């Protein structure tokens, strides 16, 4: 398992979030999550333009073992999805922190403050 990057915020549901320019939040799943799921075979991405609230289910990842819901870390609008993952979901297995799933234009970027930092997330997954 790789180190948990310090420059990201983490949800208890194993999504990572990264603040970009213009209140855009880039979202993916953690290395721990992809490790637990196993080989990903399908990713259902949210629709562009969809309005989401923090902690709302908005995407699904399926592996050979199970399916898992993904949740929005912040409230806002889906402004981008990583279309390449439709044909190559295994990219997430190869590089969980380098492969984003979708981007949200945040209504209130301070919602990121409610997420865990790398140390807190590391402690959670070690329990």
């Amino acid at each position: 398992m790789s180190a948990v990057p310090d420059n990201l915020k983490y949800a208890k549901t194993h999504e990572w979030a990264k603040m970009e320019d213009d209140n855009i939040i880039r979202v993916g799943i953690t290395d721990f999550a992809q490790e637990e799921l196993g080989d990903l075979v399908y990713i259902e991405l949210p629709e562009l333009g969809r309005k989401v609230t923090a902690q709302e289910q908005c995407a699904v990842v399926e592996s050979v073992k199970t399916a898992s819901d993904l949740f929005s870390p912040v409230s806002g609008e889906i402004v981008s999805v990583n279309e390449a993952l439709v044909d190559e979901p295994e990219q997430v297995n190869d590089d969980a922190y380098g492969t984003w799933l979708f981007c949200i234009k945040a209504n209130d970027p301070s919602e990121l403050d409610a997420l865990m930092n790398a140390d807190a997330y590391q402690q959670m997954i070690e329990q």
Side-chain angles (χ1 to χ4, degrees), residues 5 8 15 23-24 28 38 44 48 55 57 59 64 69 74 78 89-91 93:
L8 304 174
E15 293 85 16
N23 294 343
I24 302 295
E44 181 182 312
L48 285 177
Q55 302 171 5
Q57 187 275 331
V64 291
D69 291 336
V74 297
I78 304 294
E90 66 276 4
Q91 288 181 44
N93 293 115

Side-chain angles (χ1 to χ4, degrees), residues 71-83:
F71 300 87
S72 177
V74 297
S75 300
E77 179 181 343
I78 304 294
V79 294
S80 185
V81 296
N82 190 344
E83 294 283 351

Side-chain angles (χ1 to χ4, degrees), residues 1-6 8 10 16 29-35 92-98 118 121-122 125-126:
M1 191 173 321
S2 65
V4 177
D6 287 334
L8 304 174
Y10 300 89
W16 58 258
I29 65 169
T30 65
D31 192 53
F32 176 83
Q34 72 79 23
E35 187 93 10
V92 175
N93 293 115
D94 296 338
D95 184 6
Y97 294 117
Y121 183 72
Q122 187 72 47
I125 61 177
E126 287 174 358

Side-chain angles (χ1 to χ4, degrees), residues 33-51:
Q34 72 79 23
E35 187 93 10
E36 292 289 300
L37 288 166
D39 292 336
L40 296 182
V41 294
Y42 177 73
I43 298 177
E44 181 182 312
L45 297 166
E47 284 186 38
L48 285 177
R50 177 177 169 182
K51 305 270 195 265

Side-chain angles (χ1 to χ4, degrees), residues 13-27:
T13 49
H14 306 289
E15 293 85 16
W16 58 258
K18 180 180 182 190
M19 174 64 92
E20 303 280 353
D21 295 335
D22 297 329
N23 294 343
I24 302 295
I25 311 296
R26 193 171 298 271
V27 181

Side-chain angles (χ1 to χ4, degrees), residues 94-109:
D94 296 338
D95 184 6
Y97 294 117
T99 306
W100 59 279
L101 302 179
F102 55 90
C103 294
I104 301 168
K105 176 122 176 126
N107 295 341
D108 181 3

